[in-house]
Structure formats: C-alpha cells, structure tokens
Amino acid sequence: MFCVYDSSVLVQGQGVDIIHEVASSYIPVKGMMFSSIDHTFDFYCEYAKKAGFGARKGGSYMHGGVLKIKYFTFCKEGHKLAKIYDSKGDCNESSKPYYKRRKRPTIRCGCRAHVKLKSVDGEFFQVDNFVEGHNHRMVAESDVQFVRYGRKLTHVQEKAIYELSNMNLRPVKAFNLMRTQYGGFVKVGATKDDCKNFKQGLNCYIGEYDAEMIVQRLCAKKTFSSDYSFEYDVNDDRELIRMFWADETSKSNYLAFGYIISFDATFKTNK
C-alpha cells in the first residue's frame, strides 16, 4: 500500500517523502554485500519494480583505475536544464548557428531516492547509504511492465521467441502466445517491442552467417547417421544457391511411392 499525502504538497524537487511498503527481502540495507555491480543493480531494479518506480545507473567515482563508489538512482533523479535555440541562427562567424527545435518538457523531478555502493577490496561492493523516500507518486502495479528496467525477457522466453521464429512466427505472435499462456500482459514481464528488439538483436548477431550455420548443422547430422544424405552448391561468390537433404525415412518413402514434393521458399517474397 502507499502512504497517503495531500497532493497539493507534492512539488517537484521538494515536498514530503513517499515510501512504498515492500517486503523486507527486497529492500537494500546498509552494510549489505554484493559480488558485482551488475548483481547489485539487478537487486535494486527488482526492489524498484516492487515499489513502483524505474531505476537507472547514476554517477561513479574511480581511483587508480578502480571503481570506488557507484550510485543507483530513480530514473527521474536530478534536474535537466532546458536548451534555448535561436530560430534565426547566430550570425557570428566564430560560432555555429542554432535552429529552433521542438520544445519538450523535462521529465526530471529532482527525486533524491538512491542507493550508494562502496567498494570493498576492489572485489565486493557494500551498501553505504540508502535513501528510500520519493517526492512523486509511484507507478501503478498494472503499469510496472512499461518501466524500462522493469521489463526483462527470461531465458525461457528468449528461447521460445527463437524457436517460434523457426516456425515462421514473428515476435508479436510469440508475445501474444506468451500473453495467453501466462494469463495477461502484466504476467509476461515485457512488451511487444522487447520481443521485437530481441529478435532484431539475434538477427544482427547471426549476421551473414545464417547459411553457414544451416550447412554446418546439416553436415553434423551425417556424422551420427550413416543413411543421412546432404549436398549443397555455392556460386563463385561463396553464396549458397541450393541444397538437398534426405534421411532414411525419406529414402524409404521414395522407393515405395516414387514421388518428390518440392517447396519454393521464395514464393510470394518478390525474390
């Protein structure tokens, strides 16, 4: 539940502190030890998700090339000054002209909620300070899924997106299947854009090696199946132009029926 205050008292950067009640197992405590920065940030993001706000990585202090102090803050922490642009441009030859841009309101509210980490022997990190109070209302539980660091695809979900893509099901359809399976948008823990971004990143990782991967995979089958056949051809530019494979069952069916079914993978793709 939320602590209730008069909304007229809430002023950006000022006002009273709002503290959301969260289970003690999720709350950072001074003196708590962590093995890495990433582990600590994941813990703070989980706390932020339970409390109803977004977290981000803040400033840090380095000494001798070693990280000594690190801050994790609310995503709207601090203040961001608005930039002023001249629509006519600066006529001085020594400076570059500025042009009028669309005005966007700042999203910063000066919230001071944060956790401060201190390095211990350069290996472990200890919670040195924790500020729990906020000067703004929290995100509703039904909208936490849209908070940036509140969204995360699990390994099982990523594997499901990959396997469904092998069956020509796009990321949006994979998300809809997970939504139905888990019982709603909120239960998925991510959005459609997260699914599309993961698939896009996977394609970028594979790059131009998709043909090489399929050739290696089918060639590997010949090592443990003596009756498995696989042949392929490449052109002068080392591009895959055709391939053929057949297992023991396919060969038996051909000897029995004498028919071949061929699929054109480029049908209706304008290739």
Side-chain angles (χ1 to χ4, degrees), residues 21-265:
E21 293 185 2
V22 181
S24 59
S25 58
Y26 294 99
I27 300 177
V29 179
K30 186 175 181 179
M32 186 178 290
M33 301 288 292
F34 295 91
S35 59
S36 67
I37 287 292
D38 293 336
H39 185 199
T40 313
F41 186 61
D42 290 340
F43 182 84
Y44 189 66
C45 285
E46 188 64 24
Y47 159 74
K49 185 177 180 180
K50 298 292 183 180
F53 68 93
R56 67 179 175 88
K57 295 180 180 180
S60 58
Y61 171 72
M62 303 282 293
H63 181 73
V66 179
L67 180 63
K68 294 294 184 180
I69 297 175
K70 184 65 179 180
Y71 290 89
F72 298 141
T73 66
F74 171 54
C75 60
K76 298 182 181 179
E77 175 267 343
H79 294 281
K80 190 174 182 179
L81 298 176
K83 296 182 179 180
I84 301 176
Y85 298 94
D86 184 3
S87 60
K88 296 182 180 180
D90 194 340
C91 299
N92 297 328
E93 296 181 356
S94 60
S95 61
K96 296 181 179 179
Y98 292 90
Y99 299 95
K100 187 175 182 179
R101 299 184 180 179
R102 183 174 60 181
K103 295 181 180 180
R104 296 181 178 178
T106 179
I107 63 173
R108 302 295 180 89
C109 64
C111 180
R112 299 184 62 84
H114 70 274
V115 60
K116 177 184 176 183
L117 298 177
K118 184 173 62 175
S119 175
V120 179
D121 299 332
E123 296 182 359
F124 296 92
F125 292 89
Q126 183 180 32
V127 177
D128 186 59
N129 188 28
F130 172 57
V131 177
E132 190 175 3
H134 296 256
N135 67 343
H136 55 87
R137 294 180 181 85
M138 304 299 184
V139 179
E141 184 178 356
S142 59
D143 297 330
V144 172
Q145 57 171 327
F146 300 110
V147 177
R148 180 180 179 184
Y149 287 107
R151 311 191 315 258
K152 185 177 181 181
L153 290 170
T154 64
H155 177 70
V156 175
Q157 292 172 335
E158 291 177 347
K159 184 178 180 181
I161 295 173
Y162 169 72
E163 292 179 346
L164 290 173
S165 67
N166 292 336
M167 295 185 289
N168 294 328
L169 293 178
R170 296 183 179 274
V172 175
K173 291 185 178 180
F175 173 81
N176 291 332
L177 287 174
M178 289 188 291
R179 178 200 64 183
T180 305
Q181 182 181 6
Y182 296 161
F185 292 98
V186 181
K187 300 295 183 62
V188 178
T191 62
K192 294 181 181 179
D193 289 337
D194 295 321
C195 297
K196 291 190 289 187
N197 291 337
F198 168 75
K199 186 60 173 64
Q200 182 181 8
L202 184 63
N203 292 339
C204 292
Y205 176 78
I206 295 175
E208 301 178 354
Y209 300 99
D210 52 347
E212 183 177 349
M213 291 174 61
I214 188 75
V215 169
Q216 292 179 353
R217 181 174 181 178
L218 294 179
C219 285
K221 288 188 176 182
K222 299 175 65 175
T223 60
F224 58 83
S225 179
S226 58
D227 294 329
Y228 185 85
S229 299
F230 172 63
E231 301 293 340
Y232 67 96
D233 290 332
V234 296
N235 57 18
D236 296 336
D237 296 328
R238 300 294 298 172
E239 295 176 346
L240 181 65
I241 56 176
R242 66 177 65 89
M243 59 183 180
F244 169 83
W245 69 94
D247 56 11
E248 183 179 1
T249 303
S250 300
K251 295 178 181 180
S252 299
N253 291 337
Y254 177 72
L255 292 176
F257 303 103
Y259 291 101
I260 293 179
I261 299 177
S262 176
F263 294 95
D264 184 4

Side-chain angles (χ1 to χ4, degrees), residues 1-14:
M1 60 179 296
F2 290 100
C3 297
V4 180
Y5 295 96
D6 184 3
S7 60
S8 62
V9 180
L10 297 178
V11 181
Q12 289 187 355
Q14 303 175 10

